[in-house]
Amino acid sequence: MKKVEIHPDAVERIKKFSVNDPQLGFGKYVCPIMVQAIYDNGEWKRFDLLPYGPLSLDPCAKVLHYGQEIFEGMKVFRHPDESIHMFRPEMNARRFNQSARRLSMPEIPEDQFLHACEVICAYSKNAVPRRLGESLYLRPFMIATEVGMGIRPSKQFLFIIIASPSGSYFSGEDVKVYIEREEIRSAPGGIGFAKTGGNYAASLSSYAKTIALGCDQTMWLDAYEHKYIEEMSGMNFFAIIDGALHTPELCDTILDGITRKSIIDIARSSGLQVHERRISIDEVLAAAKEDRCHEAFVCGTAAVIAPVASFMDKDKSVVKLKEPHGKIGMQLREKLIDMQSGRAPAPAGWLHSVPNLNF
Ligand SMILES: Cc1ncc(COP(=O)(O)O)c(C=O)c1O
């Protein structure tokens, strides 16, 4: 494993950095340092902690034309005893490499990925917020930098990690879901399970429609029948039907969410039934009308859990859920946040502590 080389300018920059804003927002502030690694000639050459700054890219860099890029999103928490912990970063490391394989990009050994995350966290320790619901959001990403117009995998890459002290993404407003029955986000054999820009680019026109219709989130359905629920553009989906949790089973068109997995584990260990299966949107709408589904929620690293208020269909008809601030979703949210922030014990291996450096 390569050690991250620490540049003195980066240390000087981060020492002077502080944020005093009761409304941290999401991505509004970015720490003035970044980890950067260069891949060339079949290997990761070096890892550096540098001052944050613009990248210099040749206009022919492959990422700018063919979208060869991947990213991750993960959170880091300050516990009441001031210790700093990443939440399940091993899962992000694993998912990053799954995305890398699908996008024909080089993998980063898990211990190398984790070491790079630890370094930016350790140097950003004073920027990890204190209030419940706040965290340091890490955004590792990789781009193809080889110069050339030929459509083939790049041989050169940049890996970067930036960090953002962030507030709760959850506005407190329940989510109004727009059911996308025409466009699709991803098809079997495609790249839906990978965390790569193309999936998000494909979601934007529907996002604009969703917002114009007064909704908040697009719900994507399967590519063949436009019938089965897959996920939202940046979150997974759960419905509570007859008292049990139901969530779409994973397949290659759905991102394997770490929040989704954590919720399933917490729910099962709290005695709730969880079914991972194909769920048609019409089944959920019928269950809501029949009073068997009072509650649904969406989940992801940024928002944790946000309750669904209603579903709007293509003909603009709206089905409202009876109990938008559903008890079960909010209880699961509280449990997960308590574990992440050190207010309740987390299952073994869920918290990865960050070394306390003096610098
Ligand atoms: C498409 C998509 N689905 C689901 C999720 C939720 O995944 P996680 O819980 O790992 O943040 C995300 C966010 O990362 C996402 O971008």
Side-chain angles (χ1 to χ4, degrees), residues 95 185 195 200 231 233-236 255 257-259 299-301:
R95 191 169 67 184
R185 171 185 176 276
K195 209 160 162 62
Y200 301 84
E231 58 177 319
S233 302
M235 287 186 268
N236 295 111
L255 192 88
I258 295 161
T259 317
C299 65
T301 294

Side-chain angles (χ1 to χ4, degrees), residues 14 17 32 46 66-67 72 95 106 147 149 160 184 188 190 198 212 226 230-231 245 248 266 277 289 304 335 354 357:
I14 192 71
F17 180 68
R46 50 180 299 132
Y66 308 124
E72 267 304 323
R95 191 169 67 184
V147 173
M149 293 289 200
I160 292 175
I184 56 158
H226 294 216
E230 302 229 303
E231 58 177 319
L245 271 73
I266 294 172
R277 63 177 180 90
K289 287 180 194 155
V304 188
K335 280 190 181 170
V354 173
L357 289 184

Side-chain angles (χ1 to χ4, degrees), residues 6-52:
I6 311 299
H7 288 239
D9 293 356
V11 179
E12 286 315 304
R13 293 273 298 276
I14 192 71
K15 273 186 187 167
K16 293 188 198 121
F17 180 68
S18 70
V19 180
N20 290 312
D21 184 343
Q23 298 290 329
L24 280 179
F26 182 73
K28 187 158 111 188
Y29 299 97
V30 186
C31 292
I33 54 175
M34 60 186 192
V35 169
Q36 180 180 285
I38 295 170
Y39 183 91
D40 195 12
N41 269 331
E43 61 169 344
W44 289 103
K45 294 275 173 212
R46 50 180 299 132
F47 285 74
D48 294 279
L49 185 75
L50 301 174
Y52 180 96

Side-chain angles (χ1 to χ4, degrees), residues 256-297:
D256 182 359
I258 295 161
T259 317
R260 173 189 180 279
K261 177 143 188 39
S262 306
I263 288 168
I264 292 174
D265 292 347
I266 294 172
R268 285 194 174 133
S269 64
S270 315
L272 286 164
Q273 273 197 353
V274 185
H275 303 285
E276 297 177 69
R277 63 177 180 90
R278 292 192 95 191
I279 310 165
S280 78
I281 181 60
D282 294 334
E283 177 192 339
V284 173
L285 297 178
K289 287 180 194 155
E290 289 161 12
D291 231 11
R292 293 172 41 236
C293 172
H294 294 174
E295 192 182 334
F297 58 80

Side-chain angles (χ1 to χ4, degrees), residues 325-344:
H325 284 285
K327 265 205 325 260
I328 297 178
M330 294 315 270
Q331 279 168 1
L332 290 167
R333 180 172 203 275
E334 211 171 291
K335 280 190 181 170
L336 180 52
I337 291 178
D338 281 351
M339 289 176 184
Q340 291 175 323
S341 60
R343 272 125 182 120

